């Protein structure tokens, strides 16, 4: 199919799509005129039922926890897919870019440490204030990526050895699924909330939400690190004294 | 009554789709796909918005709040977007390794 034919087909299909989009969107209530019951009900009951102040967190890890389980495994299988797709590229030669400026490395080390603490905070208070395992996990992984950006692949690799990170990802995803079975045993339903709901507004609140929150954070952080690592590995050159697979020798 | 946020969502979706169709570079295509998907974030959040509503975080007081369900859905949406982009970029690297190009037309020529 040539470019012209393809664009021609797209123009016809695009006009049809645009018409359907406009038709569908015009049927929605006006912006701000929300009148569906589900969100209102959750906003009413979640703070009392679960003692979480962040209702989004309660939806993700409790009321719709089963969806989040699926989401975790979407991420998990994507990481497996990426590492399979990039597996053979390991030994390809490409320029190894190393930061040599001391001020940049020092600033980067401080910034990475601060980012790591910020990530822990976003995870820990995810069900009290805005945040949560997904968001915090990505921030935590960002701290490791910052080590690569302001240091080099060597430092990054030393901080994120492959097998422990892989194990952490599996443990995070597995813990979420197993906590679901604990819900069957103690609360009567898969991913049921089986712990005491604690005090609203404190870290001890939300029942099993904090556990699922941390399991997610571990899984997301490890998954993002594995994604970065797989892409970075296609980009580093093995040198005489050091190889990504073996470390210094 | 305003429909502007819905129009923004539709525009992001369609402009991203145009980018995907007309793309001559797989990396560019991946970025266009995230633009498309951004349209769905805007649509979800716009559906859940309530006039005068604040974030659904109730501490210390109760107040009028927007729908938390669509916000949780948006979170899922973002995770899916990240995984899809990662897979596309990995495939683009593989295609570049095989054919020496990230232009879909040239890759098609290469294999045919």
């Amino acid at each position: 199919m040539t470019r012209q034919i393809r664009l021609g087909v797209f123009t016809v299909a695009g006009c049809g799509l645009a018409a359907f989009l406009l038709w569908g969107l015009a049927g929605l209530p006006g912006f701000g005129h929300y009148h569906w019951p589900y969100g209102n009900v959750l906003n009413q009951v979640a703070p009392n039922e679960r003692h979480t102040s962040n209702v989004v967190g309660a939806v993700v890890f409790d009321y719709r926890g089963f969806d989040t389980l699926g989401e975790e495994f979407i991420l998990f299988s994507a990481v497996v897919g990426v590492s399979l797709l990039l597996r053979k590229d390991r030994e390809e030669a490409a320029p190894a870019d190393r930061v040599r400026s001391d001020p940049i490395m020092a600033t980067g080390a401080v910034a990475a440490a601060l980012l790591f603490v910020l990530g822990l905070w976003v995870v820990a208070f995810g069900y009290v204030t805005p945040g949560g395992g997904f968001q915090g996990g990505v921030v935590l992984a960002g701290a490791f990526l910052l080590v690569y950006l302001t240091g080099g692949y060597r430092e990054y690799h030393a901080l994120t050895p492959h097998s422990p990170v892989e194990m952490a990802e599996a443990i995070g995803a597995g813990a979420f699924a197993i906590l679901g079975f604990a819900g069957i045993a103690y609360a009567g339903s898969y991913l049921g909330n089986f712990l005491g709901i604690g005090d609203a507004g404190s870290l001890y609140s939300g029942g099993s939400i904090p556990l699922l929150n941390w399991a997610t954070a571990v899984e997301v952080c490890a998954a993002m690190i594995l994604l970065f690592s797989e892409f970075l590995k296609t980009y580093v050159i093995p040198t005489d004294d050091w190889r990504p697979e073996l470390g210094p020798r | 009554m305003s429909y502007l946020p819905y129009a923004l969502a539709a525009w992001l979706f369609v402009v991203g789709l145009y980018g995907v169709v007309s793309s001559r570079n797989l990396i560019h295509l991946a970025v266009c796909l995230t633009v498309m998907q951004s349209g769905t974030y805007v649509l979800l959040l716009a559906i859940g918005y309530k006039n005068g509503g604040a974030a659904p975080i109730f501490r210390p007081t109760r107040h009028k709040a927007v729908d938390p369900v669509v916000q949780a859905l948006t979170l899922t949406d973002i995770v899916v977007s990240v995984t899809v982009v990662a897979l596309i970029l990995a495939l683009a690297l593989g295609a570049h390794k095989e054919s020496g190009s990230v232009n879909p037309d040239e890759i098609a020529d290469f294999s045919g």
Side-chain angles (χ1 to χ4, degrees):
Chain A
M1 205 192 313
T2 66
R3 250 191 116 62
Q4 284 75 23
I5 298 176
R6 200 185 310 159
L7 278 178
V9 170
F10 170 69
T11 311
V12 176
C15 289
L17 176 74
F20 268 111
L21 265 180
L22 287 176
W23 182 45
L25 292 177
L28 287 173
F31 180 64
H33 293 253
Y34 178 88
H35 58 65
W36 289 282
Y38 199 29
N40 289 334
V41 168
L42 277 171
N43 278 338
Q44 284 303 316
V45 302
N48 294 329
E49 261 187 15
R50 299 291 187 250
H51 279 188
T52 49
S53 35
N54 179 356
V55 181
V56 180
V59 173
V60 170
F61 295 116
D62 193 330
Y63 295 104
R64 298 305 310 161
F66 192 66
D67 299 352
T68 309
L69 180 72
E71 195 179 343
E72 295 242 326
F73 281 93
I74 288 176
L75 191 58
F76 189 82
S77 34
V79 172
V80 172
V82 167
S83 40
L84 281 177
L85 282 168
L86 298 178
R87 184 126 295 188
K88 282 178 185 165
D89 289 340
R90 291 282 158 86
E91 293 301 317
E92 266 191 8
D97 36 7
R98 233 188 114 61
V99 175
R100 294 184 196 283
S101 150
D102 284 338
I104 289 183
M105 290 179 76
T107 314
V110 173
L114 288 176
L115 198 59
F116 193 80
V117 175
L118 175 71
L120 289 178
W121 178 76
V122 171
V123 177
F125 287 87
Y127 42 94
V128 181
T129 55
F134 284 100
Q135 300 89 325
V138 173
V139 176
L140 286 173
F144 290 101
L145 192 62
L146 197 61
V147 170
Y148 166 74
L149 285 176
T150 58
Y153 185 77
R154 215 174 277 206
E155 287 78 4
Y156 174 80
H157 191 267
L159 275 175
T160 59
H162 200 69
S163 337
V165 178
E166 268 184 337
M167 252 185 268
E169 196 209 4
I171 288 170
F176 199 104
I178 288 167
L179 283 166
F181 287 111
I184 294 186
Y186 297 106
S189 63
Y190 192 73
L191 282 168
N193 202 324
F194 62 90
L195 289 176
I197 55 174
D199 305 316
S202 75
L203 280 186
Y204 174 56
S205 65
S208 51
I209 290 175
L211 299 178
L212 294 170
N213 187 44
W214 276 105
T216 305
V218 170
E219 205 258 340
V220 170
C221 176
M224 296 312 284
I225 289 175
L226 286 176
L227 284 182
F228 296 152
S229 299
E230 292 299 336
F231 281 104
L232 288 177
K233 263 179 207 160
T234 67
Y235 196 65
V236 279
I237 187 170
T239 54
D240 290 340
D241 62 328
W242 191 82
R243 281 172 176 279
E245 312 300 324
L246 306 171
R249 54 174 183 194
Chain B
M1 255 202 343
S2 163
Y3 285 87
L4 196 60
Y6 301 147
L8 174 68
W11 182 73
L12 278 172
F13 190 86
V14 172
V15 84
L17 186 62
Y18 174 76
V20 169
V21 171
S22 65
S23 179
R24 285 162 191 255
N25 183 321
L26 289 176
I27 312 290
H28 170 260
L29 186 145
V31 176
C32 290
L33 199 67
T34 58
V35 172
M36 259 177 97
Q37 203 148 7
S38 308
T40 63
Y41 311 155
V42 174
L43 181 64
L44 280 170
L45 295 178
I47 287 174
Y49 183 72
K50 208 183 288 181
N51 279 332
I57 290 161
F58 303 103
R59 185 76 192 161
T61 50
R62 305 294 291 260
H63 53 78
K64 193 176 178 184
V66 300
D67 187 345
V69 182
V70 286
Q71 299 207 358
L73 275 175
T74 309
L75 187 60
T76 308
D77 203 355
I78 293 170
V79 173
V80 171
S81 169
V82 168
T83 58
V84 167
V85 168
L87 281 172
I88 290 180
L89 290 179
L91 287 168
L93 273 175
H96 184 261
K97 195 186 162 211
E98 290 296 316
S99 68
S101 167
V102 285
N103 184 335
D105 293 337
E106 284 173 20
I107 294 168
D109 292 346
F110 177 83
S111 61

